[in-house]
C-alpha cells in the first residue's frame, strides 16, 4: 500500500497566462486610479464637471446614465486624463464590452425623425378653401360662356332675334387669396442688453448634455437638452459652458451666432463675457 502522493497529485500546476486572467473593468480601473491619487468622487466631479451620480455609475460599470455611447466615451476620456490614466486602452475595452468597435447609429434618430414628421394640429386651411372656390367659379364662368356662344350661333342660323348677351354675374369676381403672415424672426435675440452677457443654446441637430454656470460658479443648468429645445442664460459678467455634443448645437452669444465647425460628439468648455463673443 502506497503512502506517497498519487500520480494525480504529482501533476504539474497549470500555468494561467496573463491573457487568460480576467482584466480589470473600465469602471474599476478608474476607481482604483482615483483612490491611488487621493481624490474623492466630489473632487473628480468638481474638476471635470461630470456629475457625481454619473461618476459613481461609471465606476460601477453602469454607463446608462451617460445618455449614450458618445457621452460615455467622452466621460471615460475626461475621467481617465484627470486621474493620470491613458484613455486609449480604457476606450478600447469599453468598445469591446459594448458591441465591439464603434456602434451603429443609435436608434434614437428614427424616433426624432418620427417626431419631426408627425402632422401638427392646425386650424382650417382657408387658403386651400379659397383656391377651391376660385376653381369652381372659373369653371362655372367657362361653362356659361360656352353655352351662351352656342345659343348665339343657333339664333343667327334661324334668322331669329338675337338675345342680349348675359351680364356678368357678381359671383365671377375672384377673391384674392389670403397670404399667411411670415413666422416671427429669431432676430429678437439681437435685442440682448449690452450691460449683460446673454447666451442662447439651441439643440438643432440632436440632443446634447449642457452645463451652464454664472460668474459666481453657481450652476444655472446641468441637464440633457432634447432635440428642438433651447435654453437662454444671462449674467452680469460671464457664463461658463460645457457642451456634451457641440456638433449638434447652435450657439448665440449677445445676439450673434457663433460660427464654429464642431464635429459630432465634441465636448467643448467655453466662457463668454459682455461685448463681442469670445471663446473662453
Amino acid at each position: 500500500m502506497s503512502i506517497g502522493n498519487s500520480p494525480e497529485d504529482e501533476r504539474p500546476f497549470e500555468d494561467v497566462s496573463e491573457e487568460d486572467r480576467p482584466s480589470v473593468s473600465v469602471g474599476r480601473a478608474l476607481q482604483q486610479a482615483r483612490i491611488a491619487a487621493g481624490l474623492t468622487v466630489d473632487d473628480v466631479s468638481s474638476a471635470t464637471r461630470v456629475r457625481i451620480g454619473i461618476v459613481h455609475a461609471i465606476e460601477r460599470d453602469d454607463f446608462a446614465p451617460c445618455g449614450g455611447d458618445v457621452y460615455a466615451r467622452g466621460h471615460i476620456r475626461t475621467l481617465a486624463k484627470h486621474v493620470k490614466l491613458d484613455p486609449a486602452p480604457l476606450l478600447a475595452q469599453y468598445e469591446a464590452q459594448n458591441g465591439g468597435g464603434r456602434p451603429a447609429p443609435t436608434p434614437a434618430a428614427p424616433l426624432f425623425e418620427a417626431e419631426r414628421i408627425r402632422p401638427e394640429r392646425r386650424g382650417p386651411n382657408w387658403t386651400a378653401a379659397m383656391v377651391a372656390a376660385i376653381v369652381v367659379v372659373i369653371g362655372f364662368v367657362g361653362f356659361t360662356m360656352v353655352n351662351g356662344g352656342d345659343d348665339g350661333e343657333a339664333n343667327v342660323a334661324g334668322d331669329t332675334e338675337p338675345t342680349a348677351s348675359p351680364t356678368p354675374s357678381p359671383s365671377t369676381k375672384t377673391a384674392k387669396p389670403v397670404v399667411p403672415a411670415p413666422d416671427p424672426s429669431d432676430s429678437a435675440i439681437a435685442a440682448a442688453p449690452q450691460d449683460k452677457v446673454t447666451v442662447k443654446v439651441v439643440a438643432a441637430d440632436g440632443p446634447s448634455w449642457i452645463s451652464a454656470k454664472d460668474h459666481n460658479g453657481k450652476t444655472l443648468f446641468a441637464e440633457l437638452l432634447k432635440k428642438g429645445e433651447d435654453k437662454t442664460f444671462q449674467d452680469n459678467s460671464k457664463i461658463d459652458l460645457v457642451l456634451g455634443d457641440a456638433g449638434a448645437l447652435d450657439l448665440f452669444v449677445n445676439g450673434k451666432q457663433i460660427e464654429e465647425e464642431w464635429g459630432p460628439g465634441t465636448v467643448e468648455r467655453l466662457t463668454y463675457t459682455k461685448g463681442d463673443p469670445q471663446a473662453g
Side-chain angles (χ1 to χ4, degrees), residues 66-105:
C66 296
D69 288 339
V70 173
Y71 304 111
R73 287 193 294 270
H75 291 330
I76 292 172
R77 185 182 295 105
T78 300
L79 296 177
K81 289 181 179 179
H82 186 69
V83 297
K84 310 302 182 184
L85 284 180
D86 182 6
L90 296 178
L91 291 173
Q93 185 175 355
Y94 171 80
E95 299 289 356
Q97 293 175 351
N98 291 271
R102 185 175 296 276

Side-chain angles (χ1 to χ4, degrees), residues 1-48:
M1 178 172 146
S2 171
I3 44 180
N5 293 331
S6 66
E8 294 181 353
D9 296 333
E10 293 177 357
R11 288 180 298 179
F13 293 102
E14 294 182 359
D15 183 15
V16 179
S17 62
E18 293 184 358
E19 295 181 355
D20 296 333
R21 296 174 184 170
S23 59
V24 178
S25 66
V26 175
R28 182 62 175 169
L30 291 173
Q31 183 185 49
Q32 290 177 351
R34 173 181 61 78
I35 295 173
L39 301 174
T40 66
V41 173
D42 290 343
D43 296 335
V44 173
S45 176
S46 299
T48 62

Side-chain angles (χ1 to χ4, degrees), residues 58-182:
I58 290 176
E59 291 188 352
R60 296 193 305 267
D61 291 300
D62 179 10
F63 300 99
C66 296
D69 288 339
V70 173
Y71 304 111
R73 287 193 294 270
H75 291 330
I76 292 172
R77 185 182 295 105
T78 300
L79 296 177
K81 289 181 179 179
H82 186 69
V83 297
K84 310 302 182 184
L85 284 180
D86 182 6
L90 296 178
L91 291 173
Q93 185 175 355
Y94 171 80
E95 299 289 356
Q97 293 175 351
N98 291 271
R102 185 175 296 276
T106 174
L111 296 179
F112 291 122
E113 185 67 19
E115 291 180 1
R116 187 180 66 179
I117 64 176
R118 183 180 295 122
E120 300 177 355
R121 293 183 178 178
R122 298 181 180 177
N125 192 338
W126 296 112
T127 302
M130 186 66 66
V131 172
I134 293 173
V135 172
V136 172
V137 170
I138 293 175
F140 174 76
V141 171
F143 176 78
T144 302
M145 293 179 64
V146 170
N147 289 343
D150 294 341
D151 293 341
E153 292 177 0
N155 290 332
V156 171
D159 197 17
T160 60
E161 184 179 357
T163 59
S165 60
T167 58
S169 173
S171 62
T172 59
K173 295 182 180 179
T174 58
K176 296 182 179 179
V178 179
V179 179

